[in-house]
Amino acid sequence: MHTRRIGDVEVSAIGLGGMPMSIEGRPEEARSLSTIHAALDAGVTLIDTADAYHLHADEVGHNEILIAKALASHERGAEVLVATKGGHLRPGDGSWTLDGSPEHIRAACEASLRRLGVEAIGLYQFHRPDPAVPYAESVGAVRDLLDEGKIRMAGISNADPDQIRQAGEILGGRLVSVQNQFSPAFRSSEPELRLCDELGIAFLPWSPLGGISRAGELGSTFAPFARIAEAHGVSPQQVCLAWMLAKSPVVVPIPGSSRPETIRDSTAAAELELTAEEFAELDAL
């Protein structure tokens, strides 16, 4: 597995997004554990989670607990950087709400520490800006956690360029990652990706395979992904992730998975090299 960097930590070029294993449509626990173990067997050393990845109101942190269990039962579990998030909530009725107050961020981090069973969280990310709370206050709470050693590295999620710059200032130059939605179907985070590239901050695309399921449809905007995949004898998903990796050395995709075979396929993208012509065609879509 090729590697990239988040802060001072070397991680696999492809990570694993844990959300599908804990929200609507989630599989039985045994399959989720097998999925996480398959990721580790394939060389994955970055797993992304959040306290809000759960279904019911009484199971906050379901995904964090699942990942902790999987890592504890695998010989390479200690090598994994676990990235979690706080500031987003699920009341249990299928909706998502926000609480970016410093009090909530601190309490959420403490709870994540307990669920993950660690003394310090490897990468803690403010999940989503809360319009009811000044952004500086939310990020300031993350800074305090960093200063206190509760977290080893700090990141932000769902942020715009101004918020990235502001977070960098508040964190005293210690912002190591930005996690935004980015995929063939969702390209509006290009400015954030470019800024991260300029600043040397890791950019973690969430839901990176959006649109790829339609690549094989006649007349689809994303048909070039399927055509290039056929030429290489791989899946369109691999081509999609390879395209992202080729965009910048700071990109570390975190495709969500709930099946061993899908994460194995995704990790193979780290070995796929697109030609300059192929990359240009995909990047222009």
Side-chain angles (χ1 to χ4, degrees), residues 54-119:
H54 62 90
L55 266 180
H56 310 296
D58 62 351
E59 57 168 21
V60 175
H62 177 277
N63 198 244
E64 292 176 324
I65 294 169
L66 180 71
I67 287 168
K69 184 175 182 178
L71 296 183
S73 57
H74 194 282
E75 60 182 7
R76 294 186 55 241
E79 301 171 24
V80 174
L81 172 65
V82 176
T84 192
K85 300 180 286 293
H88 223 350
L89 301 88
R90 299 199 82 193
D93 59 0
S95 67
W96 296 77
T97 60
L98 299 168
D99 190 345
S101 66
E103 296 79 12
H104 174 76
I105 296 297
R106 172 171 290 279
C109 178
E110 294 284 359
S112 290
L113 279 165
R114 291 192 295 271
R115 286 188 291 264
L116 291 170
V118 295
E119 293 183 1

Side-chain angles (χ1 to χ4, degrees), residues 1 4 13-17 44 182-184 193 203-210 212 225 229 234-248 251-257 261-274 279 282:
M1 172 71 77
R4 299 208 160 177
I14 301 290
L16 169 65
V44 168
F182 185 78
S183 68
L193 193 164
F203 183 84
L204 315 180
W206 64 263
S207 195
L209 300 176
I212 287 301
F225 285 94
V234 300
S235 69
Q237 287 81 1
Q238 282 190 41
V239 172
C240 174
L241 296 172
W243 159 67
M244 289 187 178
L245 290 170
K247 285 183 72 67
S248 166
V251 173
V252 186
I254 45 172
S257 179
E261 55 269 29
T262 56
I263 190 58
R264 289 191 196 103
D265 184 73
S266 290
T267 57
E271 307 295 328
L272 177 61
E273 291 190 18
L274 303 175
F279 172 79
L282 297 175

Side-chain angles (χ1 to χ4, degrees), residues 2-82:
H2 292 290
T3 60
R4 299 208 160 177
R5 298 196 73 81
I6 298 178
D8 59 359
V9 178
E10 192 172 289
V11 299
S12 53
I14 301 290
L16 169 65
M19 187 171 74
M21 292 180 273
S22 291
I23 64 166
E24 287 79 2
R26 68 190 187 194
E28 293 182 356
E29 182 178 283
R31 195 178 90 191
S32 292
L33 294 173
S34 294
T35 300
I36 298 169
H37 287 171
L40 270 60
D41 291 340
V44 168
T45 58
L46 170 66
I47 299 181
D48 179 78
T49 182
D51 59 1
Y53 295 164
H54 62 90
L55 266 180
H56 310 296
D58 62 351
E59 57 168 21
V60 175
H62 177 277
N63 198 244
E64 292 176 324
I65 294 169
L66 180 71
I67 287 168
K69 184 175 182 178
L71 296 183
S73 57
H74 194 282
E75 60 182 7
R76 294 186 55 241
E79 301 171 24
V80 174
L81 172 65
V82 176

